[in-house]
Amino acid sequence: MQRYFLTEPYEAKEHYTIMGENYHHIVRVMRMEPKQQVFLVFSDRLAIIAEITEVTEEAVYLKEISKEQAKKELPVNVTIACGYPKGDKLEWVVQKGTELGSHKFIGFPAKASVVKWDKKKLAKKTERLKKIATEAAEQSHRQFAPDIVLLEKEQELLDVFSSYDKVLIAYEESAKVGERSRFATALSELVIGESFLIIFGPEGGFSPTEIEKFQEHGGIICGLGPRILRAETAPLYALSAISYQFELV
Amino acid sequence: MQRYFLTEPYEAKEHYTIMGENYHHIVRVMRMEPKQQVFLVFSDRLAIIAEITEVTEEAVYLKEISKEQAKKELPVNVTIACGYPKGDKLEWVVQKGTELGSHKFIGFPAKASVVKWDKKKLAKKTERLKKIATEAAEQSHRQFAPDIVLLEKEQELLDVFSSYDKVLIAYEESAKVGERSRFATALSELVIGESFLIIFGPEGGFSPTEIEKFQEHGGIICGLGPRILRAETAPLYALSAISYQFELV
């Protein structure tokens, strides 16, 4: 069943009105008609099953049938921060990272990042990534479409450390020397509802200076197992482990 | 440091001889010289640090310096079986699945698989996937390059169920009804050294008939968390969870 994300918070109403892009998808792409049902997901993560009552030239009107009961979101808020990688890897990470439950994605220019994007390019990319995140959230039946923030300076990332309950940095050198306990320890200390920032390097990894800065600001460096993971794989490992720890075990 | 996979098992020797593709890479691509070091990984998963003693027109000769101590392999043998997905998703799963520790990949024609490959095409694809697996194993510092087997009939997959200690099938419908315990339970019952087959469907998922057959042959159907994962993401979730459970926790 199709799922549509709305920008307003939930409010019990006689009917809900859909216009714009969602209207276009419902009416022109899916060609839906009265009596058919969809999921409507509100900005405060509440989702309902709604039935179409009327379709006009400008809007689709729906009434609520029931609330979506199942909890689809990770019980901890995870933000994935990636040093800008090459090519379209950031698109991959956002798409798969959204399926896997990430709440937010931050891109930042790491020292080893090859790509250099100016303000204009960053704005365009942000729009594109937002679309990818929303589409992936719909496909994976989430109750929330992740935020996307692309930074111009690495310092801006350091500045937000304090707004998280825990900050971890996946560091290849830690994995190489066999560091394996900090990630699991950090997960075991997280409480439901807390927020977690995990930082991943670009293809060239992090420099010792960057690692020092991260640690000075309260970040914990850790390995993610004995095998070296690519820049685009490591975030998926972390999210899967978090889901497994909090949702399956 | 470069890593090269050899086809022979380890044997303590005065010197090791490299020819063929590995020779080409060492001499023509990396332009290595005597005194430089590489990892040599033998077919029985033992890896050593070796130093080049001589380079001739036909061979590279090396002597052992020390054994690679760290254990890089998952302590349980995991085989990932995928119903043939569209496009190059299988390449993607093999590459990232190798980074994440899979020991073997099996491809098979599921009912909903759109692609239809004949014997000749399967042989070509097997070669290609083997290259991808070996390269990914080298990059991720593994001590083993995964096997690739591409089947012509789904029945051939059912025939190998009995050679595994546990067989799990990731089933979207299980996830939708909130089934969340079987995967974790299966992992908790696995003993170090045991083998585990996990089966994933193509984009269209599995039919009820396929699920019935899997279960008749002893397979356990399960969900992988509350969010619906794409065909190429689910195997990575499973492998990450297994690594987390057996290597980090």
Side-chain angles (χ1 to χ4, degrees), chain B residues 11-68:
Chain B
E11 214 192 307
K13 290 200 279 197
E14 283 283 330
H15 65 257
Y16 301 91
T17 311
I18 303 260
M19 296 190 283
E21 271 193 48
N22 285 334
Y23 169 89
H24 177 87
H25 198 267
I26 293 173
V27 179
R28 310 255 174 265
V29 177
M30 299 304 299
R31 308 215 184 154
M32 299 189 80
E33 293 170 354
K35 295 266 169 94
Q36 288 191 289
Q37 295 183 348
V38 298
F39 281 110
L40 294 183
V41 187
F42 296 86
S43 63
D44 50 353
R45 302 195 200 174
L46 203 122
I48 65 171
I49 294 171
E51 182 179 297
I52 298 174
T53 53
E54 193 188 353
V55 177
T56 70
E57 275 302 306
E58 292 148 352
V60 177
Y61 299 95
L62 308 96
K63 65 178 183 185
E64 175 176 339
I65 299 299
S66 64
K67 303 239 181 346
E68 183 182 40

Side-chain angles (χ1 to χ4, degrees), chain B residues 116-127:
Chain B
K116 308 270 175 246
W117 294 323
D118 58 30
K119 237 189 178 107
K120 196 168 155 191
K121 180 82 198 238
L122 286 178
K124 263 184 107 174
K125 217 156 168 67
T126 304
E127 275 318 296

